[in-house]
Amino acid sequence: MLNVTNQLSSLPLFAEATYADLHSFVRSCMPKRFRKGELLISQGDNAEYAMFLVEGKLDVLLTSEKNQLHRLGQVHAGELFGEQGLFVTKGRRSAQVIANSDGMVLLLNRAFMHRETQNTAVIALERMMIAVLARRIRTANLNLQILQKKQQESEIVPSISKYTSLFQHLQSWIGKAS
Amino acid sequence: MRRVTFQLIARALLRKYNIRNIRSIHLAQALSRGHLKVIEQGTILCKEGTDSNEMYVIVQGRVQLLKKNSNGKPTELMMIEGPSLIGQMGLIDGSRRSASCVAAEKTTIIRFSESCFHSLMKEQTINGAAFRHQVMFTMINQLNNTNQKIGALIEEV
């Protein structure tokens, strides 16, 4: 446990956390070692906890309705993932997470985060979560704008082709009449 | 009287976002650090492209979000009804206002200055935690709504 506390205390994220709070945080979490290729989160599972990656690298993948696997991104040491599990009751995992290397995660449960409101390590995690959410909202807004533009374009193209065929029809009708 | 008002606002927010782990008294104490005021219809809370230095809790009433289109004409993005939080994104990531916010009717708001917001963000008290959780739930809700819109558009496009 002390090793993990020492590892975490060197992260910039926990720069303002006291060693005692960090140690209490580590003791309350469940450390889990994993091997390369191990499945840590399955898409569609109940989301009941978040994970904090202490060491290693993870791939975030999404299985589409056509059963195709898309890589959404990677999680690096010092990052939190699956955080919606801490706040959304009866939420489901929206993607799967597979280990890209050997490593270790801490499993954070809802009760601890909600109980330890004055723990400086928990405050650091909450602030990180808020920053991560802000980034995700910005990205989602950008994607939404791109899709809305595409939708507008796809609405314009059929109406142009409709008027083109009407014009051709009129031209041939005028030709026949003259 | 003032304490009762903030507690009612806190209860309404917790109910709206279905937050069960926070006691309304703690959120009320955090909210009372802001400045409660009534603004008239047409009052501009913030302008698109300007620096972000405040956030707001819409207590009662409606605020219109406007964004300039390619011709420079302000277009409505959405209407936000109270109780709700707006303007927190710019204080979190330091970005400029992505849209203008205008009161669509007589609206009651709580205004938080940048320094008050950041002090609550790192405060080692139960009131600070209540405020942070409220901000997180609001943002999770916002993200889920946007993702739902994206999901619907992907199927259409």
Side-chain angles (χ1 to χ4, degrees):
Chain A
M1 290 293 178
L2 277 176
N3 276 347
V4 180
T5 310
N6 288 337
Q7 251 176 302
L8 293 188
S9 66
S10 66
L11 295 173
L13 165 68
F14 294 115
E16 288 177 33
T18 65
Y19 192 84
D21 279 354
L22 209 47
H23 190 55
S24 142
F25 164 69
V26 172
R27 276 198 323 186
S28 309
C29 299
M30 289 166 279
K32 178 183 159 65
R33 290 221 157 261
F34 57 80
R35 291 269 178 206
K36 184 176 179 177
E38 200 175 317
L39 181 69
L40 294 178
I41 287 179
S42 290
Q43 197 172 326
D45 272 4
N46 284 336
E48 285 163 352
Y49 50 82
M51 289 186 185
F52 183 81
L53 185 61
V54 180
E55 56 182 71
K57 201 192 283 179
L58 308 169
D59 288 328
V60 184
L61 304 154
L62 181 79
T63 311
S64 71
E65 284 179 7
K66 291 174 185 166
N67 241 2
Q68 285 172 325
L69 213 57
H70 301 274
R71 204 176 109 170
L72 294 182
Q74 280 198 322
V75 183
H76 299 95
E79 290 179 358
L80 186 78
F81 59 100
E83 69 283 351
Q84 291 222 6
L86 294 175
F87 299 99
V88 183
T89 318
K90 292 179 184 169
R92 298 263 170 194
R93 299 294 188 196
S94 56
Q96 59 174 299
V97 178
I98 296 176
N100 191 296
S101 68
D102 292 356
M104 184 172 73
V105 286
L106 295 175
L107 305 186
L108 281 67
N109 67 39
R110 203 173 291 172
F112 174 75
M113 291 292 283
H114 293 166
R115 196 176 60 236
E116 294 294 314
T117 49
Q118 291 168 60
N119 180 311
T120 47
V122 172
I123 294 172
L125 276 175
E126 285 172 350
R127 292 179 67 192
M128 180 175 79
M129 272 187 249
I130 289 171
V132 167
L133 280 168
R135 270 204 306 273
R136 288 189 191 157
I137 290 171
R138 295 264 182 232
T139 311
N141 283 342
L142 211 67
N143 288 336
L144 184 64
Q145 277 173 20
I146 293 168
L147 280 168
Q148 280 169 337
K149 206 174 166 189
K150 270 189 184 172
Q151 191 201 27
Q152 280 168 0
E153 282 167 2
S154 66
E155 278 170 4
I156 290 168
V157 171
S159 58
I160 289 173
S161 61
K162 195 171 90 183
Y163 286 115
T164 311
S165 67
L166 184 70
F167 181 68
Q168 283 166 347
H169 183 73
L170 273 171
Q171 259 187 333
S172 70
W173 183 78
I174 291 164
K176 274 179 199 168
S178 61
Chain B
M1 178 64 191
R2 195 174 146 85
R3 193 177 146 180
V4 173
T5 309
F6 281 108
Q7 193 141 1
L8 287 175
I9 301 166
R11 273 190 202 143
L13 276 168
L14 297 177
R15 206 178 307 123
K16 178 177 176 179
Y17 292 99
N18 197 19
I19 308 173
R20 294 183 184 156
N21 63 305
I22 299 172
R23 291 185 60 197
S24 59
I25 180 88
H26 301 306
L27 183 59
Q29 278 166 5
L31 293 178
S32 69
R33 304 259 292 271
H35 180 61
L36 184 70
K37 66 184 283 189
V38 178
I39 52 170
E40 294 301 323
Q41 180 183 5
T43 306
I44 299 168
L45 287 174
C46 60
K47 269 188 180 171
E48 183 181 347
T50 59
D51 286 338
S52 309
N53 46 24
E54 285 178 344
M55 71 148 284
Y56 314 91
V57 173
I58 306 168
V59 177
Q60 214 166 32
R62 293 183 306 153
V63 170
Q64 195 181 25
L65 255 64
L66 299 164
K67 195 170 175 66
K68 285 180 189 161
N69 64 14
S70 49
N71 302 324
K73 191 185 165 196
T75 325
E76 184 181 306
L77 274 185
M78 63 168 81
M79 187 71 84
I80 300 183
E81 275 187 48
S84 201
L85 268 64
I86 55 165
Q88 68 277 15
M89 291 277 288
L91 297 185
I92 294 162
D93 60 16
S95 57
R96 286 171 181 259
R97 297 293 185 200
S98 56
S100 299
C101 300
V102 182
E105 59 192 36
K106 194 172 184 177
T107 303
T108 310
I109 60 160
I110 307 173
R111 198 181 68 211
F112 288 89
S113 67
E114 191 172 4
S115 61
C116 181
F117 176 83
H118 286 300
S119 137
L120 282 164
M121 276 291 121
K122 55 184 175 190
E123 206 169 274
Q124 211 183 335
T125 62
I126 198 151
N127 300 342
F131 187 78
R132 287 190 292 275
H133 284 214
Q134 177 62 60
V135 170
M136 274 190 269
F137 272 89
T138 305
M139 293 175 79
I140 287 172
N141 193 272
Q142 197 180 340
L143 184 62
N144 286 342
N145 286 342
T146 312
N147 282 341
Q148 271 175 13
K149 283 183 195 167
I150 289 175
L153 270 178
I154 283 175
E155 283 178 15
E156 273 182 46
V157 177

